[in-house]
């Protein structure tokens, strides 16, 4: 199903999805899946108006988080991950981090709101010639590794577009689709941004094509929502404990830049990470020094960093709040 992302393509925002490192490191190669000794590291502390590169290293204020409980939670989640069916597919299969990534709107946007509504509601009519060939049945990753996959035909892929119903109450008019061309689509996966087989559909009066992945159900998996820790386990870490929206990995694999979901009255915040064999478990804390004072109910993204004891390598990053792989901060994708 196509999700039309306000004209400039689709941006997948997934709080409980995932990232793995791009290259294996000696520290993680051949490691056991059982959780061994772990040490929690406290990350940099942010203050309002500071930049991620200007944060001072300090500990969270007393009572903000209980480090020992975070460490125990991280160990528990690392063991659960190693035993999960997703763990194997994470390194060897095709794990699509967000279903929204399987389609992309025109890179230049829609010329009108009506065109956007027509596509979003699947009000499309194919008027072009049937294509003579389909996309290559292979997925390619940045490191050059590939995997053969089954590919949907043009009619079946077009059916994915026409089944979209983003605004059932909207009044739409049929929009002509004049051509279908085999192509590839960059998709965020557990192994990096992969190029997957896709069809590019040319729309009458629209400068760029709408692209839909040609992957049939069963050819890929998505991160699930199971394994979340109980409220009691989360509460044990502390009232100011929070999860991480995403994690970006530095070039040397040693620093993670985390995004936390906070509020405008948070005076300080910071990151937490614990390394347990094949996993790095992350989280954060946010401190509002006057929790009883009036505060605007507006959510904001807070940035902080944590430093790993060894390069990330092929270890998975798990958000402690959800027990699921953390959302990666991949570079912006563009159709090819």
């Amino acid at each position: 199903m196509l999700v039309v992302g306000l004209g400039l393509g689709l941006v997948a925002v997934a709080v409980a999805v995932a990232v793995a490192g791009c290259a294996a490191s000696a520290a993680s190669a051949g490691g056991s899946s059982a959780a061994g000794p772990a040490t929690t590291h406290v990350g940099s502390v942010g203050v309002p108006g500071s930049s991620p590169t200007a944060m001072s290293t300090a500990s969270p204020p007393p009572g903000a988080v209980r480090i020992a409980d975070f460490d125990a939670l991280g160990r528990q989640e690392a063991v659960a991950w190693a035993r999960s069916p997703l763990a194997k597919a994470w390194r060897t299969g095709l794990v699509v981090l967000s279903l929204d990534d399987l389609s992309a709107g025109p890179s230049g946007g829609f010329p009108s709101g009506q065109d956007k509504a027509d596509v979003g509601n699947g009000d499309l009519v194919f008027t072009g010639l049937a294509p003579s060939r389909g996309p290559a049945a292979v997925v390619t990753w940045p490191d050059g590794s590939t995997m053969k996959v089954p590919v949907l035909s043009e009619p079946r892929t077009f059916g994915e577009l026409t089944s979209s119903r983003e605004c059932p109450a909207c009044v739409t008019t049929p929009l002509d689709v004049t051509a279908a061309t085999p192509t590839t689509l960059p998709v965020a996966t557990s192994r990096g941004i992969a190029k997957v087989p896709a069809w590019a559909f040319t729309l009458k009066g629209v400068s760029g094509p709408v692209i839909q992945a040609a992957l049939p159900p069963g050819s890929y998996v998505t991160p699930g929502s199971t394994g979340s820790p109980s409220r009691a386990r989360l509460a044990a870490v502390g009232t100011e404990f929070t999860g991480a929206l995403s994690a970006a990995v530095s070039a040397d694999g040693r620093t993670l830049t985390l995004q936390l979901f906070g509020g405008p009255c948070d005076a300080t915040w910071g990151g937490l990470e614990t390394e347990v064999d094949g996993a790095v478990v992350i989280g954060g804390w946010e401190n509002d020094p006057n929790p009883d004072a009036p505060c605007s109910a507006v959510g904001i993204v807070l940035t902080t960093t944590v430093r790993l004891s060894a390069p990330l390598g092929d270890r998975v990053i798990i958000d402690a709040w959800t027990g699921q792989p953390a959302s990666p901060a991949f570079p912006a994708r563009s159709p090819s």
Side-chain angles (χ1 to χ4, degrees):
M1 177 179 294
L2 176 73
V3 179
V4 181
L6 299 181
L8 293 178
L10 303 176
V11 179
V13 181
V15 174
V17 290
V19 65
C22 296
S25 69
S28 58
S32 169
S33 61
T39 301
T40 294
H41 297 108
V42 177
S44 61
V45 174
V47 296
S50 69
S51 69
T53 58
M55 296 177 181
S56 61
T57 299
S59 297
V65 289
R66 288 179 278 277
I67 300 299
D69 288 289
F70 176 81
D71 183 75
L73 180 64
R75 293 162 62 87
Q76 178 192 52
E77 292 179 346
V79 170
W81 167 258
R83 295 173 178 173
S84 71
L86 185 60
K88 181 178 180 180
W90 195 259
R91 303 186 192 283
T92 61
L94 176 57
V95 180
V96 175
L97 302 187
S98 172
L99 292 178
D100 289 350
D101 260 11
L102 297 181
S103 55
S107 58
F110 290 96
S112 69
Q114 183 64 57
D115 289 334
K116 177 182 173 184
D118 293 341
V119 176
N121 263 8
D123 200 350
L124 305 169
V125 177
F126 192 82
T127 60
L129 298 175
S132 59
R133 63 182 180 87
V138 64
V139 175
T140 304
W141 279 274
D143 63 0
S145 59
T146 60
M147 185 177 79
K148 291 184 178 180
V149 291
V151 173
L152 291 178
S153 65
E154 176 272 320
R156 287 191 61 187
T157 306
F158 184 67
E160 293 291 315
L161 295 181
T162 58
S163 66
S164 179
R165 294 293 184 271
E166 289 186 5
C167 181
C170 294
V171 177
T172 58
T173 56
L175 184 63
D176 288 344
V177 178
T178 59
T181 307
T183 186
T184 61
L185 178 67
V187 172
T189 77
S190 60
R191 298 158 64 184
I193 300 292
K195 291 184 177 181
V196 308
W199 288 97
F201 295 95
T202 302
L203 309 177
K204 184 178 181 180
V206 180
S207 60
V210 166
I211 301 179
Q212 178 71 36
L215 297 173
S219 64
Y220 60 90
V221 296
T222 56
S225 59
T226 60
S228 298
S230 67
R231 291 180 179 273
R233 291 301 300 265
L234 294 176
V237 181
T239 58
E240 297 182 1
F241 171 61
T242 187
L245 297 176
S246 68
V249 186
S250 64
D252 65 1
R254 293 291 299 271
T255 300
L256 303 182
T257 299
L258 312 182
Q259 289 188 326
L260 316 177
F261 187 75
C265 292
D266 291 323
T268 55
W269 60 88
L272 302 166
E273 65 85 16
T274 184
E275 300 167 58
V276 187
D277 287 342
V280 174
V281 183
I282 59 173
W285 56 269
E286 298 154 354
N287 177 247
D288 177 357
N290 300 298
D292 297 327
C295 187
S296 175
V298 177
I300 60 175
V301 175
L302 306 174
T303 302
T304 186
T305 60
V306 291
R307 183 75 172 169
L308 304 181
S309 60
L312 178 65
D314 63 355
R315 292 179 293 173
V316 65
I317 302 175
I318 297 175
D319 170 31
W321 187 267
T322 63
Q324 293 293 304
S327 175
F330 285 129
R333 62 195 184 93
S334 59
S336 60

